[in-house]
Amino acid sequence: MRLRGVPLEREPYFFLSYARRDDRKDAFVGRFYEDLVAELDRLGADCGGQMPFRDVERIGLGADWERTLGRAVGNCRAMVALCSPAYVSSLYCGKEWAAFQARLVRYREHTDIDVPALIPVLWTPTRGALPPEITRYQYYEPAMGEEYVERGLMSLLRASPTGGAYRTVLELVARRVHYAADLFRLPRAEGLDLRTVPSPFQGIEPAEPAERTTGHVRVFIAAGVTGRLPRGRQCREYYGPSPLDWTPYHPPVHPTVAHRAQRVIIEEGCTTSLEVVDQSLGSKLDEAMRDNQTSVLLVDAWAAREGPYRNPLSDYDGQNHPVTGVLVPCHDTDGESGDEKLWTDLQQVFRRNWMRRNDPYDPLFQVRVGKDQFEERLARMVVVAQNRLMENAVPRRLPAGPPAPPLPGLTVPAPPPPRTGDQAEPPGPLPPQKDQDDDH
């Protein structure tokens, strides 16, 4: 138990251990860290007095990062590990795990108490089993839900950061951290040198990431062109000879918004195609739904107010397309797009959907999306649309064919061939750098 009167300086409330490779831009790890700190604050934890440790926040330019990491792992009260295939293959994630685990072993040897201060979180799922060094610690309980086991916490966060599935797991992790950090005080490992700590994951064949269902996303562009600027628009530099050349952000440089969208969609594990909005938009969206495909409309607010886009977009607004997202980019420094009349006119085009604009619980209609928000909002839109599609997808049947041959090695005899007229049944050198060589 915690000793009264013992100074608590340099004891991070928790240490967040994760693989950088899982989230290069730190969008989801950063959000989880902030949400966890906020939830701990709500539970009454003293995170302000003993700041949690996350390397991007606590390792300054020019600092000895190995020494800083060693000091944090050797003195923190709890460790939250975002487990994934990348985590298992990361040398320094393994070192952090081993160093903290050694502190738990020392505490147990002196007190005969197992402190639940090493808290694994299933960040991304794997196709195979996690190493026994991880699974010996409880990383799942029924209250976390099957979605967590099947998709991992990062996917739940990406799909809906305010949704019940993500918040349930977040709250349970926060309670575990709060319990361990407030009730126990582990022995410190002063002067810990992570370079001398072997990773328990070395030599283990890392589990592969679970296969993601590859879907197809049809992207439809509604944007102006230089040869015919939208009514009221003066700035030509945002447009090109084709709607696919539209660059809505300032300064208007390539890649185009269509290219940026395709890159985001491909990173989400989907294939994609580009089309320009025309009068057949409604039938194309229906076709995509029948083919188990999702769709995204990238809309230029200026061009949407008039033909040839206004009518098909307005028709879309009056129909039900549950797996189609709409994203309207806008840049704050584009003086022309600051005119509120522009957005009032756009509201008239999307009368029905306007009520759910930028709804955190329903992210499929996003307006005035800034340059820095584009990738994150589009990625979330794609994930939510794909999840909805999988819930309502129409199963496909293979065409009937000849009977499958018997499997080799089975002792059960194959059925006799069908008699004439019978119908066949269908077939069923240098030290590794933490953020470079190791990709931690």
Side-chain angles (χ1 to χ4, degrees), residues 118-351:
L118 179 48
I119 304 161
V121 172
L122 186 61
W123 190 238
T124 61
T126 63
R127 197 186 309 164
L130 288 167
E133 287 77 6
I134 292 178
T135 56
R136 64 185 291 188
Y137 295 93
Q138 185 72 18
Y139 67 87
Y140 169 74
E141 53 188 85
M144 290 177 164
E146 291 299 321
E147 270 193 296
Y148 167 66
V149 177
E150 294 172 0
R151 298 168 53 192
L153 189 60
M154 187 169 75
S155 180
L156 300 185
L157 169 58
R158 179 190 279 123
S160 181
T162 58
Y166 168 68
R167 299 300 305 185
T168 296
V169 178
L170 174 71
E171 290 167 8
L172 290 170
V173 171
R175 287 177 200 162
R176 288 191 188 183
V177 174
H178 188 214
Y179 174 79
D182 269 28
L183 291 181
F184 303 94
R185 186 153 182 256
L186 299 174
R188 293 186 178 185
E190 299 289 356
L192 175 63
D193 185 354
L194 286 180
R195 288 172 294 188
T196 66
V197 178
S199 168
F201 309 142
Q202 291 298 105
I204 295 177
E205 189 69 26
E208 297 181 17
E211 291 185 13
R212 301 172 65 179
T213 302
T214 300
H216 186 81
V217 182
R218 294 174 68 169
V219 178
F220 296 86
I221 309 290
V225 295
T226 50
R228 186 175 179 273
L229 288 180
R231 174 172 53 87
R233 196 66 156 133
Q234 303 297 321
C235 297
R236 292 181 174 272
E237 59 265 32
Y238 295 102
Y239 301 103
S242 162
L244 303 182
D245 297 315
W246 177 40
T247 54
Y249 295 118
H250 187 82
V253 294
H254 289 273
T256 64
V257 73
H259 178 83
R260 289 185 64 184
Q262 286 193 304
R263 185 173 60 195
V264 170
I265 292 167
I266 290 171
E267 287 177 353
E268 291 303 316
C270 300
T271 58
T272 179
S273 58
L274 290 175
E275 303 171 62
V276 176
V277 169
D278 59 21
Q279 296 300 323
S280 62
L281 175 65
S283 62
K284 289 179 178 178
L285 295 178
D286 291 337
E287 176 188 61
M289 183 72 175
R290 288 194 301 270
D291 291 340
N292 290 338
Q293 298 173 345
T294 57
S295 303
V296 170
L297 311 183
L298 298 179
V299 178
D300 173 15
W302 290 93
R305 302 189 300 172
E306 56 188 13
Y309 301 126
R310 183 183 180 99
N311 287 341
L313 291 176
S314 183
D315 290 343
Y316 154 81
D317 183 67
Q319 299 168 0
N320 181 32
H321 293 286
V323 295
T324 297
V326 175
L327 191 148
V328 184
C330 177
H331 201 284
D332 292 340
T333 60
D334 177 8
E336 292 181 3
S337 293
D339 183 2
E340 287 303 317
K341 187 177 186 307
L342 169 68
W343 303 103
T344 300
D345 290 345
L346 187 67
Q347 179 180 355
Q348 298 306 309
V349 178
F350 295 105
R351 290 173 180 267

Side-chain angles (χ1 to χ4, degrees), residues 159-163 356-363 366 380 384:
S160 181
T162 58
R356 62 171 183 146
R357 68 190 184 280
N358 300 339
D359 185 340
Y361 299 98
D362 185 6
Q366 299 287 308
R380 186 175 166 216
V384 170

